[in-house]
Amino acid sequence: GNTSWWDAIKKEMKNVRPAFQAWEKDVKDLPVGHQEITCHMIYDVKMGENFRRKARFVADGHKTQTPAAMTCSSVVSRDSARVALLIAAMNDLDVLACDIQNAYLCADCRERIWVRAGAEFGSEAGSPMLVVKALYGLRSSGAAFRALLAQTLDNLGYKPSYADPDVWMRPAVKPNGFKYYEYVLCYVDDVLSISADPKKTMLGIQNDFKLKDDKIAEPDVCLGATLSKMEIDGKTCWTMSPEQYVKAAVANVEENLAKSGRRLPSKCVTPFSCHYEPWLETSAELKADGVQCFQELIGPLRWAVEIGRVDISLEVSLLSAHLASPREGHLEQAIHVFGCLKDRTKRKLAFDPSHPEIDERRFRKCDWSEFYRDAEEAIPGNMPEPRGNSVTTHCFVDANHANNKETRRSQTGMLLFVNKAPITWCSKRQNSVEASTFGSEFTAMKN
């Protein structure tokens, strides 16, 4: 009984119409090399925005022949985002975020394509239209927008870092003479600025792009995880929590289980049932629909691990090894992991900038000069000037020798910290079969 969807379509077409140029001549006279494609509308409901209806006009880009070189577009890595938040707390820098509105439509289209206008074009329906802007759905649109945003950042004096091309940096100095780097992190149209005065950079970006609701504010979400601040030993640091994502994933699984009269197990103290070993599973293999169900459970679990649920990384890694031909027992254990997540949804990673206290006397110093004569640390010649407060890295590694009773392969567990902030973690099966505990531990350390 309302016009919410029609209003969403009209709003989208108002935004997307400048991406098309009407072709007044006959279709036969179109420039050489132009391909005809079709478009369609995608609809969504924004749950977090009072159920706002969203319509998106997209091109059927899969129907075009596009060189691979025109489609390459990267985004900032999760590790880089965590390191940047640590640097912000460590050097007492502010963090601001913005969302570029209709980002792709800001860039020129790299492909030669045309469409025949549909009913959503109103009086222009049926007319041939040249696509002149990077329309959503085209294979080259992501790369076109990234190149445009890169040019803006370059004009502002930022240069991409060697470690991550989507982390842009610029030398700066605080009024008190403290030297540091300003950073800009780009994840498609989401931009994060870290600086003593990040608004200056944001206004520079706003000069070239329209920001959604003209909003520039502290970020509350990053790569699907909720961001917040907390005090640790008198210091303010950023935290990242996958709580909202986990709650949504658990609710989705519960809804699907309810359709078959089932529900998640309760009081799951550990991610796996006690003494469960997935490689010894002898239950029946799942049919096609069961395999799909299992794979749909593993996907959200793996992403939950990526954005902060380190406590289930081992179990998810072990279950992922059976994605091709899972058994009924594997499916039950995947559901059990969700039961554990339901009981413990509140987990948070704190990017503590303080340095850990390590007693160097624990480590025995050895002289390896006979084996490594004239050895020197390989420092890159193009390394940027060190600025800001220094950091230390710490890696915790372990391996369970021959844990897999079927293949005798070991499992590596790894946690890498910068200062006291967890940055990288993984749990993966080793490629080789080691004959001793030393061998499996050494392989883990080498990795």
Side-chain angles (χ1 to χ4, degrees):
N2 59 48
T3 60
S4 298
W5 287 115
W6 179 238
D7 294 339
I9 293 174
K10 289 195 296 183
K11 181 179 179 180
E12 174 65 9
M13 292 311 299
K14 180 181 178 181
N15 292 330
V16 84
R17 178 61 185 84
F20 300 92
Q21 177 183 324
W23 182 254
E24 305 295 344
K25 303 176 184 179
D26 191 271
V27 174
K28 298 178 181 179
D29 298 326
L30 280 167
V32 177
H34 275 66
Q35 307 174 63
E36 181 184 6
I37 64 167
T38 55
C39 299
H40 65 278
M41 198 76 75
I42 291 178
Y43 303 97
D44 191 19
V45 179
K46 298 291 186 179
M47 301 295 185
E49 300 179 32
N50 196 26
F51 302 99
R52 178 175 70 87
R53 271 61 164 185
K54 171 70 175 177
R56 175 74 78 189
F57 190 79
V58 300
D60 295 332
H62 61 286
K63 297 180 180 180
T64 64
Q65 299 295 325
T66 311
M70 294 176 59
T71 63
C72 180
S73 178
S74 59
V75 294
V76 68
S77 72
R78 294 175 289 279
D79 298 349
S80 296
R82 289 188 276 263
V83 171
L85 293 174
L86 168 68
I87 291 175
M90 193 171 57
N91 295 322
D92 194 23
L93 305 177
D94 294 329
V95 182
L96 290 179
C98 72
D99 187 357
I100 298 175
Q101 181 174 315
N102 296 310
Y104 286 7
L105 301 179
C106 301
D108 293 333
C109 182
R110 292 185 171 186
E111 303 175 50
R112 295 182 177 182
I113 54 175
W114 69 281
V115 300
R116 193 171 293 279
E120 61 276 352
F121 281 82
S123 59
E124 296 179 297
S127 303
M129 297 278 183
L130 297 180
V131 179
V132 295
K133 292 294 183 180
L135 198 63
Y136 283 91
L138 294 177
R139 301 187 189 195
S140 64
S141 293
F145 168 72
R146 187 188 182 281
L148 185 63
L149 179 58
Q151 185 60 55
T152 294
L153 294 175
D154 186 77
N155 294 339
L156 293 173
Y158 284 91
K159 302 297 178 184
S161 66
Y162 297 123
D164 189 334
D166 292 284
V167 174
W168 295 72
M169 52 197 291
R170 180 176 70 180
V173 181
K174 289 186 178 182
N176 61 4
F178 180 77
K179 292 183 177 181
Y180 70 101
Y181 281 106
E182 297 175 298
Y183 294 96
V184 172
L185 280 63
C186 303
Y187 193 95
V188 192
D189 56 355
D190 293 320
V191 180
L192 212 64
S193 177
I194 299 172
S195 168
D197 184 16
K199 192 164 187 179
K200 185 177 180 181
T201 296
M202 286 300 191
L203 293 176
I205 295 174
Q206 193 174 25
N207 287 336
D208 292 347
F209 298 96
K210 169 68 175 174
L211 304 186
K212 186 176 180 182
D213 300 326
D214 293 323
K215 182 180 178 182
I216 299 174
E218 282 194 342
D220 53 5
V221 175
C222 180
L223 306 180
T226 303
L227 296 182
S228 61
K229 292 181 178 179
M230 69 179 297
E231 294 282 336
I232 299 180
D233 297 331
K235 292 184 178 180
T236 302
C237 69
W238 286 91
T239 67
M240 183 177 286
S241 171
E243 180 181 352
Q244 295 301 322
Y245 177 81
V246 168
K247 283 183 177 180
V250 169
N252 187 48
V253 172
E254 286 185 312
E255 181 181 346
N256 290 333
L257 288 176
K259 295 177 181 178
S260 57
R262 301 180 61 190
R263 62 181 185 178
L264 289 176
S266 58
K267 297 181 180 180
C268 300
V269 181
T270 56
F272 272 174
S273 301
C274 191
H275 304 303
Y276 178 74
E277 297 178 322
W279 47 83
L280 298 180
E281 185 60 63
T282 57
S283 57
E285 291 188 2
L286 293 170
K287 299 289 195 304
D289 56 342
V291 172
Q292 181 179 350
C293 178
F294 178 75
Q295 293 173 345
E296 289 176 351
L297 292 178
I298 295 299
L301 290 176
R302 291 178 68 167
W303 184 246
V305 172
E306 288 288 338
I307 62 176
R309 288 308 297 252
V310 190
D311 54 322
I312 62 170
S313 58
L314 170 63
E315 290 76 12
V316 174
S317 174
L318 295 177
L319 288 176
S320 297
H322 301 277
L323 280 172
S325 55
R327 297 179 178 271
E328 293 177 355
H330 297 140
L331 178 60
E332 292 301 319
Q333 288 304 310
I335 294 173
H336 190 279
V337 175
F338 275 97
C340 181
L341 289 178
K342 182 181 179 181
D343 292 341
R344 295 166 179 79
T345 56
K346 294 185 178 181
R347 288 290 186 271
K348 187 180 290 187
L349 297 181
F351 304 114
D352 186 354
S354 59
H355 291 263
E357 297 178 3
I358 297 177
D359 185 0
E360 296 292 341
R361 293 175 298 177
R362 293 168 52 196
F363 303 97
R364 187 176 64 179
K365 296 186 182 299
C366 301
D367 183 8
W368 292 92
S369 58
E370 291 184 5
F371 295 90
Y372 303 100
R373 297 181 184 276
D374 304 319
E376 294 181 359
E377 184 177 359
I379 298 178
N382 59 351
M383 183 177 72
E385 173 198 357
R387 286 172 171 245
N389 293 315
S390 63
V391 300
T392 52
T393 57
H394 313 269
C395 191
F396 296 86
V397 182
D398 201 2
N400 52 355
H401 176 239
N403 181 58
N404 191 314
K405 303 298 189 298
E406 187 178 41
T407 64
R408 291 298 173 181
R409 285 160 73 175
S410 309
Q411 188 86 3
T412 293
M414 209 179 322
L415 275 168
L416 195 148
F417 290 76
V418 177
N419 289 4
K420 287 186 178 180
I423 302 299
T424 302
W425 50 85
C426 83
S427 177
K428 62 181 296 185
R429 186 174 49 186
Q430 293 185 2
N431 294 328
S432 58
V433 178
E434 298 298 330
S436 64
T437 301
F438 172 81
S440 61
E441 299 278 2
F442 184 79
T443 299
M445 285 293 294
K446 184 176 64 174
N447 289 335

